[in-house]
């Protein structure tokens, strides 16, 4: 049930996504007596049982903390074991929206890969929908099949198949299964060899949308040619770029304060020079030679901890370790794009198949006669 | 008598046709220029497309959505293959020259070769062949018109292939009496309003809308808290992904929420009422004051009322029930997601409403301005009830999709909004907040430093538990 509906309290056997950091989310099945070892400490499953989803728990020693999160397709995408490259949420959510995939949609997906998108599809199409997903790599197929079952995604049917050579049809009791897909997603190296096999498995009485996901422009060219040759139209390729922004703080450093600081430095320097002149004058008067190595009296030598600190007027905390947002200083809220951006995932080639038929609706005809 | 009887809102069913064009439905009419129009297909109703002509609604009923038509005489239509896809590109000479230049630089000799090829091929065509092409449409549609144009355009073969095609697309846009009927789904409705006035839908792009739906994990049977200032586009997208199952409490700042977009949704009022529960902010924050006290009148008194009095009685009862129901829903909280697309000040809003969100459930905020979300993210970063607030910006870049001449289109929309995604969590008791991190008393100093590092976005040491 975990991927299809929320529950509030964690029970034995439940699927929990342990949030350790943005980079580390560990999906686990909770089992009494077991522990989760992380580099932040050891967390007991017993502490999880009875906790609320969303709760924070501490490690056995009490220093480390993790959050216990509820599974969702989007968190799964961030935490799943990678068997392949995967489709991330900015792409998958756009494809879903653009192809009009909602509750009840029948979808074909090849290949399954790490089943990142499969989880998202399964959630969106709901009970009435159906996802037919295909994977030709046996170990990946076996892993994905087990995973989909464990996650209770009963609206997904996975088939071990090379869709380019073997097509999409599924035999059942000696007959071909009625797939009638309304939407197709192809994430494999040569979609153009799979496209000819689609005609027998897509819906004949509604518009069908396809999206081919390919990283190279050469693949797009071949895909577009194949789509055209097989009657697909409204062909358009797009690219989704996604950026993540981080909230940051920038210190307000006013030029007036900079001027004031310079003035202050100068004042103190002048005072220092004056003091040196006075010293020299005094020394001359008293007839003692200033020592070569240390020109200043011992009292003027900065204390070790003051070495980095600036004395006097210090509006920007020079030499002090200032934490961003420290209320002693003034800040503005700014944002910065994350350091490595995924600037290219793949090209998305969309196309549609229009059945070009008219369905005569008997109910409607009768209504017409009555009216 | 029956019209005066109060009925509890009945379980409405989702029964709208999503695949076939049906009489009485609101649909999208898409013109070759990609401009769209919303039309209700009333019986016998004529639809006027200006210079493209007029057709009768009955003519298109029964075809699947996505079907294209050509307008014939007498408001009749004939189904055809798909229209050519074009992008709204500026029609000035300078632009043409710039793109032509680009193409020449890419593959000049091959290009010239192609000009001759296409020219001769077309000229050898018979009219019958062209007619046949027109019938089948599809991939051939782009070339079918070339014949007519070539005949009257001496300099045509001197243009590059690229500008030839563009020229032809424009001709098709201008002279062909063609259109497509599309399903009026949330993406189409969004596009329609976006074309009219982007500010009406808070500049929201389709990719932002889709991403909102996924990040908020919207699905059948969910219970959501929504603030929507797009006229109901977000609400409509959610309804589609719930298919009439579940609940959406819509918080708003007026007497009634503005859901004008739902008029295009083809949902029955019963279905909308069974899912959508409006509540204004006063009722939201002042529930005890705003609950409407209600006790039923004895049946004999109701029976003795005049028709209009009784009607009024039932209306008041209905209102009291609805308002109290919405207030109760908010009071019990535990929403499966908080979804916000508003111009209200989000940093102060979030603190007030996040208590209502269930544990580990997502919160998604949309704004046309990144700064608004940055402020909100800073507020969230200090709040231990919020985990990992993240701002996303996604943009879809369309390409000219002609094999051999694929390149990004020359101009695209620059904006489309930003999203802030976070998860609602419960901090462990006894942990106090310092910035974004957490402090346990015995370990205060070290953690304080880590917490502030976290706030600054500085790379945290591996041993720092992130909160
Ligand atoms: C990039 S992965 C798909 C990732 C997936 N979309 C996800 O989000 O996790 C591509 C997968 O397609 C499979 N594949 C490649 N060619 C195939 C074919 N002809 N038939 C079936 N699967 C194929 C590969 O084995 C690989 O697992």
């Amino acid at each position: 049930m975990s991927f299809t509906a929320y529950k509030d309290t964690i029970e034995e056997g439940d699927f929990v996504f342990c949030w350790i950091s943005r980079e580390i989310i560990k999906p686990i099945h909770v089992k009494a007596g077991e522990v989760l070892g992380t580099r932040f400490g050891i967390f007991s499953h017993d502490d999880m049982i009875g906790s609320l989803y969303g709760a924070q728990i501490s490690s056995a020693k009490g220093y480390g903390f993790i959050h216990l999160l509820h599974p969702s397709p989007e968190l799964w995408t961030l935490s799943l074991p990678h068997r392949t490259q995967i489709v991330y949420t900015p792409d998958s959510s756009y494809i879903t929206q653009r192809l009009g995939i909602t509750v009840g949609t029948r979808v074909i997906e090849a290949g399954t890969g790490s089943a990142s998108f499969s989880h998202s599809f399964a959630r969106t199409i709901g009970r009435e929908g159906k996802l037919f997903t295909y994977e030709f790599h046996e170990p990946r197929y076996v892993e994905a099949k087990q995973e989909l079952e464990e996650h209770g995604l009963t609206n997904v049917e996975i088939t071990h198949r090379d869709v380019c050579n073997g097509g999409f049809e599924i035999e059942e009791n000696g007959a071909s299964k009625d797939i009638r897909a309304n939407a197709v997603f192809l994430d494999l190296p040569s979609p153009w060899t799979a496209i000819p096999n689609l005609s027998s498995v897509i819906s004949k009485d509604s518009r069908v949308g396809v999206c081919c996901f390919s990283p190279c422009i050469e693949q797009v060219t071949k895909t577009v040619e194949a789509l055209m040759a097989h009657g697909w139209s409204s062909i358009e390729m797009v690219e989704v770029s996604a950026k993540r922004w981080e909230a940051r703080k920038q210190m307000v450093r006013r030029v007036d304060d900079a001027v004031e600081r310079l003035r202050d430095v100068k004042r103190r320097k002048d005072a220092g020079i004056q003091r040196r002149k006075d010293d020299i004058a005094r020394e001359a008067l008293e007839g003692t030679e200033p020592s070569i190595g240390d020109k200043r009296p011992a009292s003027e030598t900065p204390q070790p901890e003051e070495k980095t600190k600036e004395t006097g007027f210090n509006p920007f905390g020079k030499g002090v370790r200032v934490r961003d947002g420290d209320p002693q200083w003034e800040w503005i809220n700014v944002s910065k794009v994350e350091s490595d951006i995924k600037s290219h995932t793949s090209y998305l080639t969309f196309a549609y198949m229009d059945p070009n038929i008219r369905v005569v609706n008997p109910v409607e005809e009768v209504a017409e006669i009555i009216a | 008598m029956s019209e005066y009887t109060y009925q509890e809102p009945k379980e409405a069913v989702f029964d709208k046709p999503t695949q076939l064009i049906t009489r009485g439905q609101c649909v999208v009419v898409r013109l070759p220029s990609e401009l769209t129009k919303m039309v209700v297909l009333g019986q016998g109703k004529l639809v006027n497309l200006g210079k493209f002509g007029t057709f009768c609604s009955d003519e298109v009923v029964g075809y699947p959505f996505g079907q294209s038509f050509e307008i014939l005489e007498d408001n009749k239509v004939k189904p055809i293959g798909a229209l050519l896809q074009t992008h709204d590109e500026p029609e000035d000479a300078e632009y043409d020259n710039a793109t032509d230049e680009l193409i020449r630089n890419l593959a000049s000799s091959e290009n010239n070769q192609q000009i001759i090829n296409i020219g001769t091929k077309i000229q050898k065509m018979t009219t019958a062949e062209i007619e046949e092409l027109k019938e089948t449409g599809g991939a051939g549609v782009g070339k079918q018109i070339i014949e007519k144009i070539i005949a009257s355009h001496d300099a045509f073969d001197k243009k590059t292939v690229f500008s030839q095609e563009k020229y032809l697309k424009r001709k098709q846009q201008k002279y062909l009496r063609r259109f497509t009927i599309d399903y009026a789904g949330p993406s189409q409705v969004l596009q329609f309003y976006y074309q009219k006035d982007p500010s009406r839908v808070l500049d929201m792009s389709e990719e932002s809308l889709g991403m909102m739906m996924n990040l908020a994990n919207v699905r059948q049977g969910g219970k959501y808290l929504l603030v929507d200032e797009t006229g109901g586009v977000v609400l409509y997208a959610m309804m589609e992904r719930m298919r009439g199952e579940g609940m959406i409490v819509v918080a708003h700042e007026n007497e009634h929420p503005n859901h004008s977009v739902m008029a295009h949704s083809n949902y029955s009022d019963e279905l909308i009422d069974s899912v959508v529960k409006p509540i204004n902010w006063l009722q939201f924050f002042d529930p005890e004051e705003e609950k409407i006290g209600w006790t039923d009148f004895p049946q004999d008194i109701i029976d003795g009322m005049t028709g209009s009095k009784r009607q009024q009685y039932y209306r008041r009862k209905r209102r009291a029930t609805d308002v109290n129901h919405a207030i109760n829903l908010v009071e019990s909280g535990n929403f499966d997601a908080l979804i916000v697309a508003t111009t209200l000040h989000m940093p102060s809003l979030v603190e007030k409403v996040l208590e209502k969100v269930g544990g580990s459930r997502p919160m998604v905020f949309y704004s046309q301005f990144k700064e608004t979300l940055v402020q909100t993210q800073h507020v969230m970063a200090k709040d231990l009830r919020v985990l990992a607030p993240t701002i996303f910006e996604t943009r879809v870049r369309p390409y000219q999709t002609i094999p051999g001449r694929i390149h990004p289109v020359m101009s695209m929309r620059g904006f489309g909004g930003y999203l802030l995604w976070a998860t609602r969590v419960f901090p462990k008791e006894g942990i106090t907040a310092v910035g974004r991190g957490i402090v346990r008393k015995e370990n205060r100093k070290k953690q304080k430093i880590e917490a502030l590092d976290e706030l600054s976005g500085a790379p945290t040491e591996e041993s720092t538990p992130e909160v």
Side-chain angles (χ1 to χ4, degrees), chain A residues 3 22 40 70 123 127-128 236 239 333 358, chain B residues 61 87 217 219 245 360 390 397 399 462:
Chain A
F3 277 97
R22 273 183 198 269
F40 310 126
H70 196 285
R123 175 264 322 276
R127 285 190 311 276
E128 287 110 272
E236 189 192 34
E239 198 182 0
N333 292 334
R358 186 172 199 172
Chain B
V61 167
H87 286 286
N217 199 9
R219 62 184 163 198
E245 238 180 78
S360 193
T390 310
R397 162 158 239 190
Y399 279 67
E462 287 232 298

PDB file of all heavy atoms in Angstrom, chain A residues 3 22 40 70 123 127-128 236 239 333 358, chain B residues 61 87 217 219 245 360 390 397 399 462:
ATOM      1  N   PHE A   3       3.073   2.860  -1.670  1.00  0.00           N
ATOM      2  CA  PHE A   3       3.206   3.826  -2.759  1.00  0.00           C
ATOM      3  C   PHE A   3       1.859   4.339  -3.251  1.00  0.00           C
ATOM      4  O   PHE A   3       1.799   5.253  -4.048  1.00  0.00           O
ATOM      5  CB  PHE A   3       3.972   3.213  -3.936  1.00  0.00           C
ATOM      6  CG  PHE A   3       5.457   3.281  -3.765  1.00  0.00           C
ATOM      7  CD1 PHE A   3       6.170   2.211  -3.272  1.00  0.00           C
ATOM      8  CD2 PHE A   3       6.140   4.447  -4.094  1.00  0.00           C
ATOM      9  CE1 PHE A   3       7.549   2.291  -3.107  1.00  0.00           C
ATOM     10  CE2 PHE A   3       7.517   4.537  -3.931  1.00  0.00           C
ATOM     11  CZ  PHE A   3       8.214   3.455  -3.446  1.00  0.00           C
ATOM     12  N   ARG A  22      20.511  15.089   2.245  1.00  0.00           N
ATOM     13  CA  ARG A  22      19.949  15.267   0.912  1.00  0.00           C
ATOM     14  C   ARG A  22      20.461  14.211  -0.053  1.00  0.00           C
ATOM     15  O   ARG A  22      19.788  13.803  -0.971  1.00  0.00           O
ATOM     16  CB  ARG A  22      20.316  16.640   0.360  1.00  0.00           C
ATOM     17  CG  ARG A  22      19.336  17.721   0.754  1.00  0.00           C
ATOM     18  CD  ARG A  22      19.758  19.031   0.104  1.00  0.00           C
ATOM     19  NE  ARG A  22      19.131  20.154   0.768  1.00  0.00           N
ATOM     20  CZ  ARG A  22      17.960  20.666   0.400  1.00  0.00           C
ATOM     21  NH1 ARG A  22      17.304  20.160  -0.608  1.00  0.00           N
ATOM     22  NH2 ARG A  22      17.458  21.697   1.039  1.00  0.00           N
ATOM     23  N   PHE A  40      26.276   8.163  10.819  1.00  0.00           N
ATOM     24  CA  PHE A  40      25.858   9.094  11.878  1.00  0.00           C
ATOM     25  C   PHE A  40      25.403   8.349  13.116  1.00  0.00           C
ATOM     26  O   PHE A  40      24.865   8.932  14.042  1.00  0.00           O
ATOM     27  CB  PHE A  40      24.728   9.994  11.387  1.00  0.00           C
ATOM     28  CG  PHE A  40      25.055  10.614  10.068  1.00  0.00           C
ATOM     29  CD1 PHE A  40      24.180  10.491   8.995  1.00  0.00           C
ATOM     30  CD2 PHE A  40      26.240  11.308   9.878  1.00  0.00           C
ATOM     31  CE1 PHE A  40      24.502  11.047   7.765  1.00  0.00           C
ATOM     32  CE2 PHE A  40      26.558  11.857   8.661  1.00  0.00           C
ATOM     33  CZ  PHE A  40      25.690  11.731   7.593  1.00  0.00           C
ATOM     34  N   HIS A  70       7.800   8.703   4.515  1.00  0.00           N
ATOM     35  CA  HIS A  70       6.861   7.802   3.844  1.00  0.00           C
ATOM     36  C   HIS A  70       7.313   7.645   2.393  1.00  0.00           C
ATOM     37  O   HIS A  70       7.755   8.612   1.779  1.00  0.00           O
ATOM     38  CB  HIS A  70       5.466   8.439   3.896  1.00  0.00           C
ATOM     39  CG  HIS A  70       4.376   7.482   3.586  1.00  0.00           C
ATOM     40  ND1 HIS A  70       4.123   7.046   2.310  1.00  0.00           N
ATOM     41  CD2 HIS A  70       3.470   6.867   4.387  1.00  0.00           C
ATOM     42  CE1 HIS A  70       3.088   6.193   2.353  1.00  0.00           C
ATOM     43  NE2 HIS A  70       2.688   6.076   3.595  1.00  0.00           N
ATOM     44  N   ARG A 123       1.698   5.449  -9.819  1.00  0.00           N
ATOM     45  CA  ARG A 123       0.960   6.335  -8.923  1.00  0.00           C
ATOM     46  C   ARG A 123      -0.092   7.127  -9.689  1.00  0.00           C
ATOM     47  O   ARG A 123      -1.249   7.201  -9.291  1.00  0.00           O
ATOM     48  CB  ARG A 123       1.940   7.284  -8.225  1.00  0.00           C
ATOM     49  CG  ARG A 123       1.322   8.362  -7.341  1.00  0.00           C
ATOM     50  CD  ARG A 123       1.124   9.727  -8.022  1.00  0.00           C
ATOM     51  NE  ARG A 123       2.161  10.131  -8.912  1.00  0.00           N
ATOM     52  CZ  ARG A 123       3.283  10.733  -8.534  1.00  0.00           C
ATOM     53  NH1 ARG A 123       3.496  10.996  -7.292  1.00  0.00           N
ATOM     54  NH2 ARG A 123       4.172  11.084  -9.442  1.00  0.00           N
ATOM     55  N   ARG A 127      -5.805   2.953  -9.891  1.00  0.00           N
ATOM     56  CA  ARG A 127      -6.339   1.592  -9.987  1.00  0.00           C
ATOM     57  C   ARG A 127      -6.844   1.253 -11.376  1.00  0.00           C
ATOM     58  O   ARG A 127      -6.664   0.149 -11.871  1.00  0.00           O
ATOM     59  CB  ARG A 127      -7.519   1.429  -9.022  1.00  0.00           C
ATOM     60  CG  ARG A 127      -7.179   1.292  -7.579  1.00  0.00           C
ATOM     61  CD  ARG A 127      -8.440   0.905  -6.803  1.00  0.00           C
ATOM     62  NE  ARG A 127      -9.567   1.780  -7.146  1.00  0.00           N
ATOM     63  CZ  ARG A 127      -9.782   2.966  -6.582  1.00  0.00           C
ATOM     64  NH1 ARG A 127      -8.954   3.411  -5.656  1.00  0.00           N
ATOM     65  NH2 ARG A 127     -10.821   3.706  -6.928  1.00  0.00           N
ATOM     66  N   GLU A 128      -7.489   2.198 -12.017  1.00  0.00           N
ATOM     67  CA  GLU A 128      -8.100   1.906 -13.322  1.00  0.00           C
ATOM     68  C   GLU A 128      -7.086   1.879 -14.455  1.00  0.00           C
ATOM     69  O   GLU A 128      -7.372   1.372 -15.520  1.00  0.00           O
ATOM     70  CB  GLU A 128      -9.175   2.949 -13.655  1.00  0.00           C
ATOM     71  CG  GLU A 128     -10.438   2.814 -12.858  1.00  0.00           C
ATOM     72  CD  GLU A 128     -10.590   3.956 -11.854  1.00  0.00           C
ATOM     73  OE1 GLU A 128     -10.078   3.817 -10.721  1.00  0.00           O
ATOM     74  OE2 GLU A 128     -11.205   4.976 -12.206  1.00  0.00           O
ATOM     75  N   GLU A 236       7.195  16.842 -32.288  1.00  0.00           N
ATOM     76  CA  GLU A 236       7.966  17.965 -31.757  1.00  0.00           C
ATOM     77  C   GLU A 236       8.976  17.468 -30.738  1.00  0.00           C
ATOM     78  O   GLU A 236       8.642  16.676 -29.862  1.00  0.00           O
ATOM     79  CB  GLU A 236       7.083  19.013 -31.095  1.00  0.00           C
ATOM     80  CG  GLU A 236       7.882  20.262 -30.746  1.00  0.00           C
ATOM     81  CD  GLU A 236       7.160  21.240 -29.844  1.00  0.00           C
ATOM     82  OE1 GLU A 236       6.378  20.797 -28.985  1.00  0.00           O
ATOM     83  OE2 GLU A 236       7.399  22.442 -29.985  1.00  0.00           O
ATOM     84  N   GLU A 239      13.457  19.957 -25.002  1.00  0.00           N
ATOM     85  CA  GLU A 239      14.434  19.604 -23.980  1.00  0.00           C
ATOM     86  C   GLU A 239      13.978  20.266 -22.681  1.00  0.00           C
ATOM     87  O   GLU A 239      13.544  21.422 -22.704  1.00  0.00           O
ATOM     88  CB  GLU A 239      15.785  20.163 -24.411  1.00  0.00           C
ATOM     89  CG  GLU A 239      16.945  19.552 -23.721  1.00  0.00           C
ATOM     90  CD  GLU A 239      18.253  20.195 -24.168  1.00  0.00           C
ATOM     91  OE1 GLU A 239      18.233  21.105 -25.020  1.00  0.00           O
ATOM     92  OE2 GLU A 239      19.275  19.795 -23.640  1.00  0.00           O
ATOM     93  N   ASN A 333      18.519  38.164   1.848  1.00  0.00           N
ATOM     94  CA  ASN A 333      18.294  36.798   1.386  1.00  0.00           C
ATOM     95  C   ASN A 333      18.530  36.731  -0.117  1.00  0.00           C
ATOM     96  O   ASN A 333      17.934  37.488  -0.877  1.00  0.00           O
ATOM     97  CB  ASN A 333      16.861  36.364   1.696  1.00  0.00           C
ATOM     98  CG  ASN A 333      16.639  36.216   3.186  1.00  0.00           C
ATOM     99  OD1 ASN A 333      17.586  35.960   3.934  1.00  0.00           O
ATOM    100  ND2 ASN A 333      15.401  36.385   3.615  1.00  0.00           N
ATOM    101  N   ARG A 358     -14.696   7.841 -37.107  1.00  0.00           N
ATOM    102  CA  ARG A 358     -15.794   8.420 -36.352  1.00  0.00           C
ATOM    103  C   ARG A 358     -16.557   7.296 -35.678  1.00  0.00           C
ATOM    104  O   ARG A 358     -16.934   6.317 -36.311  1.00  0.00           O
ATOM    105  CB  ARG A 358     -16.729   9.180 -37.290  1.00  0.00           C
ATOM    106  CG  ARG A 358     -17.817   9.917 -36.525  1.00  0.00           C
ATOM    107  CD  ARG A 358     -18.601  10.813 -37.435  1.00  0.00           C
ATOM    108  NE  ARG A 358     -19.320  11.823 -36.666  1.00  0.00           N
ATOM    109  CZ  ARG A 358     -19.959  12.827 -37.223  1.00  0.00           C
ATOM    110  NH1 ARG A 358     -19.952  12.964 -38.543  1.00  0.00           N
ATOM    111  NH2 ARG A 358     -20.590  13.707 -36.485  1.00  0.00           N
TER     112      ARG A 358
ATOM    113  N   VAL B  61     -18.767  15.797 -33.785  1.00  0.00           N
ATOM    114  CA  VAL B  61     -19.112  14.884 -32.701  1.00  0.00           C
ATOM    115  C   VAL B  61     -18.871  13.437 -33.132  1.00  0.00           C
ATOM    116  O   VAL B  61     -19.165  13.061 -34.268  1.00  0.00           O
ATOM    117  CB  VAL B  61     -20.593  15.096 -32.293  1.00  0.00           C
ATOM    118  CG1 VAL B  61     -21.097  13.958 -31.407  1.00  0.00           C
ATOM    119  CG2 VAL B  61     -20.748  16.435 -31.585  1.00  0.00           C
ATOM    120  N   HIS B  87       5.836  26.923 -35.031  1.00  0.00           N
ATOM    121  CA  HIS B  87       6.025  27.773 -33.851  1.00  0.00           C
ATOM    122  C   HIS B  87       5.775  29.195 -34.283  1.00  0.00           C
ATOM    123  O   HIS B  87       6.008  29.542 -35.423  1.00  0.00           O
ATOM    124  CB  HIS B  87       7.441  27.637 -33.316  1.00  0.00           C
ATOM    125  CG  HIS B  87       7.624  26.341 -32.623  1.00  0.00           C
ATOM    126  ND1 HIS B  87       7.102  26.091 -31.390  1.00  0.00           N
ATOM    127  CD2 HIS B  87       8.211  25.200 -33.026  1.00  0.00           C
ATOM    128  CE1 HIS B  87       7.376  24.854 -31.047  1.00  0.00           C
ATOM    129  NE2 HIS B  87       8.049  24.292 -32.023  1.00  0.00           N
ATOM    130  N   ASN B 217       2.654  14.719  -5.123  1.00  0.00           N
ATOM    131  CA  ASN B 217       2.175  13.322  -5.087  1.00  0.00           C
ATOM    132  C   ASN B 217       0.649  13.261  -5.185  1.00  0.00           C
ATOM    133  O   ASN B 217      -0.011  12.531  -4.436  1.00  0.00           O
ATOM    134  CB  ASN B 217       2.667  12.652  -3.792  1.00  0.00           C
ATOM    135  CG  ASN B 217       2.639  11.137  -3.881  1.00  0.00           C
ATOM    136  OD1 ASN B 217       2.417  10.568  -4.962  1.00  0.00           O
ATOM    137  ND2 ASN B 217       2.845  10.476  -2.758  1.00  0.00           N
ATOM    138  N   ARG B 219      -2.851  12.201  -6.327  1.00  0.00           N
ATOM    139  CA  ARG B 219      -3.382  10.940  -6.863  1.00  0.00           C
ATOM    140  C   ARG B 219      -4.787  10.686  -6.349  1.00  0.00           C
ATOM    141  O   ARG B 219      -5.279  11.404  -5.473  1.00  0.00           O
ATOM    142  CB  ARG B 219      -2.464   9.798  -6.447  1.00  0.00           C
ATOM    143  CG  ARG B 219      -2.407   9.648  -4.950  1.00  0.00           C
ATOM    144  CD  ARG B 219      -1.441   8.592  -4.534  1.00  0.00           C
ATOM    145  NE  ARG B 219      -1.104   8.750  -3.124  1.00  0.00           N
ATOM    146  CZ  ARG B 219      -0.040   8.209  -2.561  1.00  0.00           C
ATOM    147  NH1 ARG B 219       0.801   7.518  -3.267  1.00  0.00           N
ATOM    148  NH2 ARG B 219       0.183   8.370  -1.280  1.00  0.00           N
ATOM    149  N   GLU B 245     -12.055  11.303  -6.992  1.00  0.00           N
ATOM    150  CA  GLU B 245     -11.952  10.568  -5.734  1.00  0.00           C
ATOM    151  C   GLU B 245     -11.016  11.303  -4.797  1.00  0.00           C
ATOM    152  O   GLU B 245      -9.856  11.528  -5.132  1.00  0.00           O
ATOM    153  CB  GLU B 245     -11.361   9.192  -6.006  1.00  0.00           C
ATOM    154  CG  GLU B 245     -12.251   8.062  -5.575  1.00  0.00           C
ATOM    155  CD  GLU B 245     -11.604   6.739  -5.881  1.00  0.00           C
ATOM    156  OE1 GLU B 245     -10.709   6.347  -5.113  1.00  0.00           O
ATOM    157  OE2 GLU B 245     -11.967   6.117  -6.894  1.00  0.00           O
ATOM    158  N   SER B 360       5.450  13.734   6.959  1.00  0.00           N
ATOM    159  CA  SER B 360       6.128  13.227   5.773  1.00  0.00           C
ATOM    160  C   SER B 360       5.407  13.573   4.467  1.00  0.00           C
ATOM    161  O   SER B 360       5.743  13.058   3.415  1.00  0.00           O
ATOM    162  CB  SER B 360       6.313  11.710   5.872  1.00  0.00           C
ATOM    163  OG  SER B 360       7.208  11.270   4.903  1.00  0.00           O
ATOM    164  N   THR B 390      13.547  23.031  -1.123  1.00  0.00           N
ATOM    165  CA  THR B 390      14.337  23.132  -2.355  1.00  0.00           C
ATOM    166  C   THR B 390      13.564  23.918  -3.403  1.00  0.00           C
ATOM    167  O   THR B 390      12.368  23.683  -3.606  1.00  0.00           O
ATOM    168  CB  THR B 390      14.594  21.720  -2.919  1.00  0.00           C
ATOM    169  OG1 THR B 390      15.106  20.897  -1.878  1.00  0.00           O
ATOM    170  CG2 THR B 390      15.564  21.747  -4.078  1.00  0.00           C
ATOM    171  N   ARG B 397      12.462  23.675 -23.590  1.00  0.00           N
ATOM    172  CA  ARG B 397      12.949  24.392 -24.757  1.00  0.00           C
ATOM    173  C   ARG B 397      12.526  23.626 -26.010  1.00  0.00           C
ATOM    174  O   ARG B 397      12.950  22.492 -26.219  1.00  0.00           O
ATOM    175  CB  ARG B 397      14.473  24.472 -24.652  1.00  0.00           C
ATOM    176  CG  ARG B 397      15.147  24.779 -25.939  1.00  0.00           C
ATOM    177  CD  ARG B 397      16.504  25.360 -25.681  1.00  0.00           C
ATOM    178  NE  ARG B 397      16.539  26.661 -26.279  1.00  0.00           N
ATOM    179  CZ  ARG B 397      17.627  27.396 -26.417  1.00  0.00           C
ATOM    180  NH1 ARG B 397      18.756  26.991 -25.927  1.00  0.00           N
ATOM    181  NH2 ARG B 397      17.582  28.551 -27.023  1.00  0.00           N
ATOM    182  N   TYR B 399      12.315  22.654 -30.001  1.00  0.00           N
ATOM    183  CA  TYR B 399      13.239  22.623 -31.129  1.00  0.00           C
ATOM    184  C   TYR B 399      12.467  22.609 -32.440  1.00  0.00           C
ATOM    185  O   TYR B 399      11.363  22.077 -32.512  1.00  0.00           O
ATOM    186  CB  TYR B 399      14.096  21.347 -31.077  1.00  0.00           C
ATOM    187  CG  TYR B 399      15.261  21.446 -30.132  1.00  0.00           C
ATOM    188  CD1 TYR B 399      15.043  21.530 -28.755  1.00  0.00           C
ATOM    189  CD2 TYR B 399      16.569  21.452 -30.604  1.00  0.00           C
ATOM    190  CE1 TYR B 399      16.109  21.631 -27.883  1.00  0.00           C
ATOM    191  CE2 TYR B 399      17.636  21.538 -29.733  1.00  0.00           C
ATOM    192  CZ  TYR B 399      17.401  21.633 -28.371  1.00  0.00           C
ATOM    193  OH  TYR B 399      18.452  21.733 -27.504  1.00  0.00           O
ATOM    194  N   GLU B 462      30.894  15.183   6.693  1.00  0.00           N
ATOM    195  CA  GLU B 462      30.126  13.952   6.543  1.00  0.00           C
ATOM    196  C   GLU B 462      29.475  13.506   7.834  1.00  0.00           C
ATOM    197  O   GLU B 462      28.467  12.844   7.819  1.00  0.00           O
ATOM    198  CB  GLU B 462      31.024  12.839   6.016  1.00  0.00           C
ATOM    199  CG  GLU B 462      31.353  13.035   4.558  1.00  0.00           C
ATOM    200  CD  GLU B 462      31.033  11.782   3.762  1.00  0.00           C
ATOM    201  OE1 GLU B 462      31.646  10.752   4.055  1.00  0.00           O
ATOM    202  OE2 GLU B 462      30.156  11.854   2.893  1.00  0.00           O
TER     203      GLU B 462
END
